[in-house]
Amino acid sequence: MAQVEIFAGRRVLVCDPEGPPLAGDRHAGDLVGEALGAGAEVVAIPTARVTPAFFDLRTGLAGAVLQKFVNYRLVPVIVGDIGAELARSSALRDFVRESNRGQTVWFVAGLDELRARLG
């Protein structure tokens, strides 16, 4: 079950780590619907909900999933330690670095980092 929290005046849908995996377009659509229904602007998705294929950029899963959020003007934020995934892929490191420079998709270590980024 996700809950809405206010971080720096912005509504953030904080997803439960125990929820269904973010394994494709349909799952992204479900989260988008939940976020829109809750009036959230940002969706905090724990790494526990992200499948390994998401971090393999060759699968296209990350692009498809993240684009779904961006299409609805939501900011998806992957929350948690992805150090092992970054160590395996220079393409992923580049993607995360570029994403974090922008305002549409972020990767953060924890909710405190997200709060600081929004503040």
Side-chain angles (χ1 to χ4, degrees), residues 3-98:
Q3 65 183 52
V4 173
E5 296 185 28
I6 307 299
F7 293 2
R10 294 181 73 184
R11 293 177 66 85
V12 178
L13 183 71
V14 178
C15 300
D16 185 338
E18 301 299 319
L22 187 58
D25 235 11
R26 192 191 92 219
H27 302 106
D30 292 346
L31 275 180
V32 164
E34 189 173 353
L36 292 174
E41 304 169 59
V42 178
V43 182
I45 306 161
T47 54
R49 298 268 303 264
V50 181
T51 63
F54 179 92
F55 296 110
D56 181 355
L57 297 182
R58 294 172 295 184
T59 67
L61 180 61
V65 164
L66 296 173
Q67 189 62 49
K68 179 77 92 178
F69 289 93
V70 172
N71 287 347
Y72 287 91
R73 292 186 164 79
L74 296 168
V75 177
V77 182
I78 305 302
V79 180
D81 180 14
I82 59 169
E85 291 81 1
L86 294 174
R88 286 192 291 272
S89 171
S90 63
L92 181 62
R93 281 192 304 275
D94 293 343
F95 177 71
V96 168
R97 183 175 45 254
E98 289 302 315

